[in-house]
Amino acid sequence: MNTLNHTESTAVSTDVVIFTMREERLSVLLVKRSREPFKGFWALPGGLIGEGEALDEAAHRMLAEKTGIEGVYLEQLYTFGIPQRDPRGRVVSVAYYALLPYCRLRMTERAGNLAWHELGALPETLAFDHGEIVAMAKKRLCAKLEYSTIAFQLMPEKFTLSELQAVYEEILGERLDKRNFRKRVQNLGCLEETGEQFRAGKHRPAKLYRIKAPGRVDIIK
Amino acid sequence: MNTLNHTESTAVSTDVVIFTMREERLSVLLVKRSREPFKGFWALPGGLIGEGEALDEAAHRMLAEKTGIEGVYLEQLYTFGIPQRDPRGRVVSVAYYALLPYCRLRMTERAGNLAWHELGALPETLAFDHGEIVAMAKKRLCAKLEYSTIAFQLMPEKFTLSELQAVYEEILGERLDKRNFRKRVQNLGCLEETGEQFRAGKHRPAKLYRIKAPGRVDIIK
DNA sequence: TCAAAAGTGTTGTGTTTACACCCATGA
DNA sequence: TCATGGGTGTAAACACAACACTTTTGA
């Protein structure tokens, strides 16, 4: 059995764009870098892949290290590898994106070096090419809203249709018609009423729904 | 400036699924391995990325090395990285797929270790996880037919609408209605008549079309 | 004149959009 | 009783699918 000839040393890392819906806004989790390069800049959670670790295992690990939670929706996004992307040397980064309901978090934004940032108000520049990675993840998420049930991965266990609609509107950046929206999501057949109601203020309470198969993301149409 | 701590040596390669339409059949270019591991098995063209070489540059290089041609459509597919995928050690492979018109090839299928294989009649098992890579590329290509003009990248400079329809039918694996098909592609506005005709046998000659912006792939709808 | 593929429109069906009012509640 | 968001149906517009005959050529 041969061994490989390495002409150079290349590092492989994963960076994870972790999306959540926080205070009605689509947000990503960023880490403030404490070391050069890009000291003081915000970066995506990430790191080198471990020996014997699959790429998506590594991504799940990054996610668990920062958020403390497991079993969330995670999907490979793209691999970034221009030679200059890390000033320390050649690093190829396999980017992932994750979606999680904010309520599941048990996270301390420790010492201010871990924080949620609204997508509409990101820092001017992020470390490395992370701005580009976030932009691509947002674009992919937008596209997937149209032809899959991916948005459900951002919802808590129980939610109202208005809350779901607000999530779509925030991500797509446009208002949707209430009746058409409800017709569409109800026809998917993925939702069921919990039978419970949610009271929020001085108006009619809303029905609560849950997802029939919580882990599942379906391609629609 | 720091340097990276490598906990291990990881190699990064690219493998390229090169599609063409050959004798009415969607085919991929495979290389017969002359060395272990998988000696004698067919594999995708690929290899380690070079120092200072971007990932898509590496993919273009693989393509040029095997086919001798440049400037073809190339897109990143997915990155494969389970630790066991190469018995020699850890190799993360960034897979690409390419589309090219068969007529552009000036390639010698040298000594029988480089050959086109119809997608419908691939060898039972390919080297490494290359069977999986090809399957994913085919699936992506199918999906993109529906919402982009990607199929045009398989066409020669001039072609008839019937030839174009045959390409769609072969990839999708279903017959299409002639009138609806022609309506659709003509409404895209990407095609123009050359004014020439193509005679092929004892029947009415077909108009030849060309693509207005040959390099370009548009997202439609 | 026959065979073979090129070329061409219309109609029906289903999907998507636009749109406005009543309901249940808390203050 | 009023303000607030929850909840509901219908009609028009549009996109998509189904479908058959005439044209041009070479043999």
Side-chain angles (χ1 to χ4, degrees):
Chain A
M1 186 79 44
N2 299 325
T3 53
L4 290 162
N5 292 335
H6 290 275
T7 54
E8 58 153 346
S9 163
T10 304
V12 179
S13 69
T14 72
D15 292 302
V16 187
V17 183
I18 305 170
F19 286 114
T20 201
M21 206 50 106
R22 181 171 166 274
E23 293 167 7
E24 325 268 86
R25 290 284 173 266
L26 182 66
S27 303
V28 292
L29 188 63
L30 299 177
V31 188
K32 190 184 264 176
R33 288 186 58 82
S34 58
R35 288 203 299 261
E36 293 293 348
F38 293 101
K39 181 170 176 176
F41 284 77
W42 292 94
L44 292 170
L48 297 177
I49 61 171
E51 244 182 288
E53 188 180 50
L55 298 172
D56 46 2
E57 285 170 5
H60 270 116
R61 178 168 58 81
M62 308 301 163
L63 193 55
E65 282 174 2
K66 301 300 179 196
T67 65
I69 71 173
E70 298 176 3
V72 307
Y73 182 80
L74 186 74
E75 184 185 315
Q76 190 180 303
L77 175 64
Y78 196 78
T79 298
F80 295 82
I82 62 169
Q84 311 77 20
R85 60 178 296 282
D86 190 321
R88 291 166 296 183
R90 189 71 194 268
V91 183
V92 169
S93 172
V94 184
Y96 280 77
Y97 71 105
L99 270 55
L100 59 91
Y102 191 65
C103 63
R104 285 194 56 193
L105 282 167
R106 190 121 321 278
M107 185 189 102
T108 98
E109 301 196 5
R110 28 178 157 145
N113 60 3
L114 191 61
W116 292 100
H117 292 254
E118 292 183 15
L119 242 83
L122 289 179
E124 186 100 1
T125 59
L126 300 186
F128 308 103
D129 51 2
H130 291 187
E132 195 187 337
I133 298 177
V134 172
M136 191 184 284
K138 167 77 190 309
K139 199 175 148 202
R140 179 92 131 247
L141 177 59
C142 261
K144 282 228 164 184
L145 277 204
E146 311 278 358
Y147 67 90
S148 80
T149 60
I150 197 171
F152 296 173
Q153 299 301 315
L154 290 164
M155 305 309 290
E157 195 199 340
K158 298 169 186 177
F159 53 89
T160 69
L161 294 185
S162 296
E163 287 165 348
L164 184 60
Q165 183 174 344
V167 169
Y168 274 80
E169 290 179 338
E170 161 70 3
I171 298 173
L172 295 174
E174 60 182 343
R175 305 251 2 182
L176 302 174
D177 178 85
K178 193 186 349 181
R179 280 172 291 192
N180 293 337
F181 179 80
R182 292 162 106 92
K183 219 181 305 169
R184 184 146 39 92
V185 297
Q186 286 177 315
N187 285 345
L188 291 176
C190 306
L191 297 182
E192 60 187 6
E193 298 187 15
T194 64
E196 298 164 89
Q197 292 194 323
F198 177 68
R199 288 185 172 67
K202 53 170 185 170
H203 55 79
R204 179 173 176 174
K207 290 181 185 168
L208 284 169
Y209 290 80
R210 83 166 68 83
I211 295 152
K212 284 184 188 167
R216 186 172 181 75
V217 171
D218 294 314
I219 303 300
I220 57 192
K221 227 187 329 178
Chain B
M1 185 81 41
N2 297 324
T3 55
L4 292 162
N5 292 334
H6 290 274
T7 55
E8 58 154 345
S9 164
T10 304
V12 179
S13 69
T14 72
D15 292 303
V16 187
V17 184
I18 305 171
F19 286 114
T20 202
M21 205 50 106
R22 182 172 166 274
E23 292 167 8
E24 325 267 88
R25 290 284 172 266
L26 184 65
S27 305
V28 293
L29 188 63
L30 298 177
V31 188
K32 191 184 264 176
R33 288 186 59 83
S34 57
R35 288 203 298 259
E36 292 294 348
F38 293 102
K39 181 171 176 173
F41 284 78
W42 292 93
L44 292 170
L48 297 176
I49 61 171
E51 244 183 288
E53 186 180 51
L55 298 172
D56 47 1
E57 284 170 5
H60 270 115
R61 178 168 57 82
M62 307 303 162
L63 193 56
E65 281 174 3
K66 301 301 178 197
T67 65
I69 72 173
E70 297 177 2
V72 307
Y73 182 79
L74 187 73
E75 184 185 315
Q76 190 179 302
L77 176 64
Y78 196 78
T79 298
F80 295 80
I82 63 170
Q84 310 78 20
R85 60 180 296 283
D86 190 320
R88 291 165 296 182
R90 189 72 194 269
V91 183
V92 169
S93 172
V94 184
Y96 280 76
Y97 70 106
L99 270 56
L100 58 91
Y102 191 64
C103 63
R104 284 194 58 193
L105 282 168
R106 189 120 321 276
M107 185 189 100
T108 100
E109 302 195 4
R110 29 178 159 146
N113 60 3
L114 190 63
W116 291 101
H117 292 254
E118 291 183 17
L119 243 85
L122 287 180
E124 187 101 359
T125 58
L126 299 186
F128 308 104
D129 51 3
H130 290 187
E132 194 187 337
I133 298 178
V134 171
M136 190 183 286
K138 167 78 190 306
K139 198 174 148 205
R140 179 91 133 250
L141 177 59
C142 260
K144 282 227 162 182
L145 277 204
E146 310 280 358
Y147 66 90
S148 79
T149 60
I150 198 171
F152 296 174
Q153 299 301 316
L154 290 164
M155 306 308 290
E157 196 200 340
K158 298 170 187 178
F159 53 89
T160 69
L161 294 185
S162 296
E163 287 165 349
L164 184 61
Q165 182 174 345
V167 169
Y168 274 79
E169 289 178 339
E170 160 70 3
I171 299 174
L172 296 173
E174 60 181 344
R175 304 250 2 180
L176 302 174
D177 178 86
K178 192 181 359 176
R179 281 172 291 193
N180 292 338
F181 178 79
R182 292 162 106 91
K183 220 182 304 171
R184 186 147 37 92
V185 297
Q186 286 177 315
N187 285 344
L188 292 175
C190 306
L191 297 181
E192 59 187 7
E193 299 186 14
T194 64
E196 298 163 90
Q197 291 195 325
F198 177 69
R199 287 185 172 70
K202 53 171 185 173
H203 55 79
R204 180 172 175 174
K207 290 180 186 169
L208 284 169
Y209 289 79
R210 82 167 67 84
I211 296 153
K212 283 185 189 167
R216 184 171 183 75
V217 171
D218 293 314
I219 304 300
I220 56 191
K221 232 189 323 179

